[in-house]
Amino acid sequence: MEVPTSWDALRKQARKLEAQLDEQMNLYRKLVSANVSTKADAAESDLESWIDRLLKQLQQVNSQMQALVSTGGSEVVSHTLNRHQEILQDLTQEFFRLRKSLRAKQEHASLLEDFKEFDRTRLDLEEGSEQHALLKEHASISRSTGQMDNVISQAQATLGTLVLQRSTFGGINSKLSNVSSRLPTVNTILSAIKRKKSMDTLILSLVASVCTFLIVIYWLTK
């Protein structure tokens, strides 16, 4: 920036910088009102840098004007300088306030985005846990079903064995009944043998008893 030396030139430069600042501050106010992003973009950073540079230039011009007034000047000149200094102070304070508000909005949006991301992650984890639990339950049911199938298979095999044994025993009984019905003479002979054996045993017992009785009488009469 070219450095003017006269009061009029300095005042003209100050008014030009103030007009530029007023225009840029209007743009910055709209940006702060509409901004909902989580971080500064290139246009925002460029605008802030440009406003900050204009404020520094205006501060430099005011300092030069202050130097001229300090060497001697009228009350009107002093009042004019105070007015330019107030404008600089108001613009600087508003710029800092707007930038602070913008940073707060961006931080709030960032925190909100982080919370949403955390919530999405939590939901994903819960969904994954539910799916894992369902898979685990399905595997347990499958194992139980397999065990039940094994038990049923064993029971069916045992039932088949019992049925086979029953059929075998039924066949043996049937064969024995057929043999008995086909051999009535054998049964009759066996019964006669048993009766004769019983008669012989009875006769032998009577003979032995008589002999014993006679021997006892013989010994008593001797």
Side-chain angles (χ1 to χ4, degrees):
M1 182 183 66
E2 183 181 357
V3 180
T5 56
S6 66
W7 170 263
D8 290 338
L10 289 172
R11 184 181 178 187
K12 182 179 179 180
Q13 184 67 31
R15 287 200 298 266
K16 179 180 177 180
L17 291 171
E18 289 169 358
Q20 291 178 348
L21 278 169
D22 187 59
E23 180 182 358
Q24 298 302 316
M25 287 295 293
N26 283 332
L27 294 176
Y28 194 61
R29 294 186 192 99
K30 294 178 181 178
L31 186 148
V32 172
S33 299
N35 187 276
V36 292
S37 62
T38 58
K39 57 183 179 180
D41 54 18
E44 176 186 325
S45 299
D46 292 342
L47 181 58
E48 289 179 349
S49 298
W50 178 234
I51 293 174
D52 187 64
R53 185 161 54 250
L54 290 175
L55 288 173
K56 290 179 180 179
Q57 291 178 5
L58 183 57
Q59 176 64 46
Q60 183 179 358
V61 172
N62 282 353
S63 297
Q64 293 174 0
M65 293 172 66
Q66 178 68 43
L68 288 178
V69 172
S70 61
T71 59
S74 64
E75 182 177 349
V76 176
V77 172
S78 298
H79 178 75
T80 302
L81 175 61
N82 290 334
R83 178 56 186 160
H84 285 297
Q85 290 177 340
E86 290 174 356
I87 292 174
L88 173 62
Q89 182 178 2
D90 292 341
L91 289 173
T92 302
Q93 290 179 351
E94 184 180 10
F95 175 65
F96 289 161
R97 179 182 60 81
L98 290 173
R99 186 166 62 181
K100 182 178 180 180
S101 176
L102 179 60
R103 296 293 181 272
K105 290 179 64 176
Q106 290 173 345
E107 182 178 358
H108 177 74
S110 178
L111 290 174
L112 184 61
E113 183 64 27
D114 291 341
F115 177 78
K116 291 180 179 179
E117 181 64 25
F118 172 78
D119 193 51
R120 286 192 294 266
T121 303
R122 180 180 60 81
L123 291 176
D124 291 341
L125 290 174
E126 290 179 354
E127 183 178 357
S129 298
E130 291 178 358
Q131 291 178 351
H132 178 71
L134 290 175
L135 290 174
K136 186 176 180 180
E137 183 178 357
H138 178 71
S140 178
I141 293 174
S142 298
R143 288 194 298 269
S144 299
T145 303
Q147 293 175 356
M148 292 178 63
D149 290 339
N150 291 333
V151 172
I152 292 172
S153 298
Q154 294 176 1
Q156 289 177 343
T158 303
L159 178 61
T161 302
L162 292 175
V163 171
L164 180 60
Q165 291 178 355
R166 181 179 179 183
S167 299
T168 302
F169 291 148
I172 293 173
N173 291 331
S174 177
K175 290 179 180 179
L176 290 175
S177 298
N178 291 334
V179 170
S180 298
S181 62
R182 291 177 183 177
L183 299 175
T185 305
V186 173
N187 289 332
T188 303
I189 294 171
L190 291 176
S191 298
I193 293 172
K194 288 181 181 180
R195 287 194 298 272
K196 185 177 184 303
K197 185 176 179 182
S198 299
M199 184 64 68
D200 292 341
T201 302
L202 179 60
I203 293 171
L204 289 174
S205 298
L206 290 174
V207 172
S209 299
V210 171
C211 291
T212 302
F213 178 72
L214 292 175
I215 291 171
V216 171
I217 293 175
Y218 173 77
W219 280 103
L220 290 176
T221 59
K222 184 178 178 181

